[in-house]
Structure formats: structure tokens, C-alpha cells
């Protein structure tokens, strides 16, 4: 069973581009899409509309910084404070090039900070590389399931 990728994105254009890029990378992982920080936390903590979802952490969280309801840094803080979520890989995927955002994200132990490229081809390549690295190549924390690509 493959672990899903949790995509937290409120911008419809960026959401569509990210989904296209992940599809082009031919990952078999399901992509769970939530549109704000509150929904992301509900998914991760299995509450609200996600109370009945199958337990377990996603392979990676692709997290926008500027989100409605609860911003990305607050989502990251709650992930890092929860023992069951602390080892979860989180990639800040944002348009912000502000140094303060970068500093705060790394101070809160984000795994990676990726600025969304403006050009379509670069955006697709960046997202594809992210998906492949975190869902396939990265060695997950002990106790996590790892996807092994079939040969051939």
C-alpha cells in the first residue's frame, strides 16, 4: 500500500499545476488535496470530515505558506509538536522568497523550502522531482511503509 501525498494549496492555478506535475512524474501515490491549514490539520489528526479516514501519515506534506484559516507555519508548528507527526516530512512549497519566511520555516524544522518556479516547465520539473524524491527515493522514518518500484 502506497502512502498518499498531502497537498495543502489554496490557489486554484497552483493546485492545478501541481497536480499536473505530479501526474507527469507517474507516481502511483494518491494525492490528497486540502485547501486551507485547518483542513490540513483535520486530515493529519484524523478529525472533522477526516475522522473516519484510515490511520497513518502521508509520505510527505507539500505545504503552502500563505493559507486561509491557519497559515502554513502554524500547520508546521502543530506537526512538529505532535509526537506521532514529528517525523513526517514537510516541504514548504511557496511563492514567498522572503528571507524571514525561509528562516522561520527552517527554525521550525521544515525538511525543505521550495519556491514555486514561475515558468511552467520549471514548475513541472520541480514538483516532479519533489514527488519522486519524497515518495520514492527518500528513506522514511522507522515504522513507515516504503514503496519499492517494480522492475521493468
Amino acid at each position: 500500500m502506497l502512502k498518499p501525498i498531502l497537498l495543502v494549496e489554496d490557489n486554484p492555478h497552483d493546485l492545478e499545476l501541481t497536480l499536473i506535475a505530479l501526474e507527469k512524474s507517474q507516481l502511483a501515490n494518491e494525492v490528497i488535496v486540502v485547501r486551507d491549514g485547518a483542513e490540513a490539520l483535520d486530515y493529519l489528526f484524523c478529525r472533522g470530515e477526516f475522522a473516519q479516514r484510515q490511520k497513518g501519515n502521508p509520505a510527505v506534506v507539500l505545504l503552502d505558506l500563505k493559507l486561509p484559516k491557519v497559515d502554513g507555519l502554524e500547520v508546521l508548528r502543530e506537526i512538529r509538536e505532535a509526537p506521532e507527526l514529528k517525523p513526517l516530512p514537510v516541504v514548504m512549497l511557496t511563492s514567498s522568497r522572503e528571507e524571514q519566511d525561509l528562516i522561520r520555516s527552517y527554525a521550525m524544522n521544515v525538511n525543505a523550502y521550495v519556491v514555486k518556479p514561475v515558468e511552467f516547465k520549471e514548475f513541472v520539473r520541480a514538483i516532479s522531482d519533489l514527488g519522486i524524491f519524497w515518495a520514492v527515493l527518500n528513506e522514511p522514518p522507522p515504522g513507515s511503509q516504503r514503496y519499492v518500484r517494480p522492475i521493468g
Side-chain angles (χ1 to χ4, degrees):
M1 184 177 124
L2 295 180
K3 297 177 82 164
I5 294 169
L6 180 62
L7 174 59
V8 188
E9 177 62 68
D10 66 313
N11 181 304
H13 178 70
D14 288 350
L15 174 60
E16 183 179 358
L17 288 179
T18 304
L19 290 173
I20 288 169
L22 288 170
E23 185 178 314
K24 285 182 178 270
S25 68
Q26 298 182 334
L27 291 174
N29 303 67
E30 177 185 10
V31 178
I32 307 294
V33 176
V34 295
R35 308 269 180 155
D36 61 56
E39 252 192 315
L41 292 170
D42 283 351
Y43 178 85
L44 292 167
F45 288 102
C46 300
R47 62 189 187 206
E49 70 178 284
F50 300 103
Q52 301 303 314
R53 81 164 177 90
Q54 185 176 359
K55 301 278 189 224
N57 293 336
V60 64
V61 177
L62 302 179
L63 180 63
D64 192 12
L65 187 61
K66 311 287 190 214
L67 293 167
K69 297 185 181 176
V70 178
D71 74 13
L73 287 173
E74 178 61 22
V75 172
L76 178 60
R77 184 188 66 74
E78 291 200 35
I79 289 171
R80 293 303 182 236
E81 288 180 355
E84 70 275 16
L85 296 176
K86 194 172 190 168
L88 177 61
V90 178
V91 175
M92 202 62 79
L93 184 59
T94 180
S95 302
S96 175
R97 293 183 181 277
E98 293 179 34
E99 186 175 347
Q100 187 63 20
D101 289 336
L102 183 70
I103 291 168
R104 288 177 66 202
S105 295
Y106 277 113
M108 296 172 73
N109 297 315
V110 76
N111 295 87
Y113 189 99
V114 177
V115 177
K116 299 172 189 172
V118 176
E119 185 188 298
F120 177 73
K121 281 186 179 181
E122 288 179 29
F123 188 91
V124 169
R125 186 173 59 239
I127 300 300
S128 178
D129 290 349
L130 275 175
I132 290 169
F133 178 79
W134 289 107
V136 179
L137 299 175
N138 182 54
E139 196 64 44
S144 297
Q145 291 182 332
R146 182 163 195 260
Y147 172 65
V148 179
R149 275 191 181 213
I151 299 174

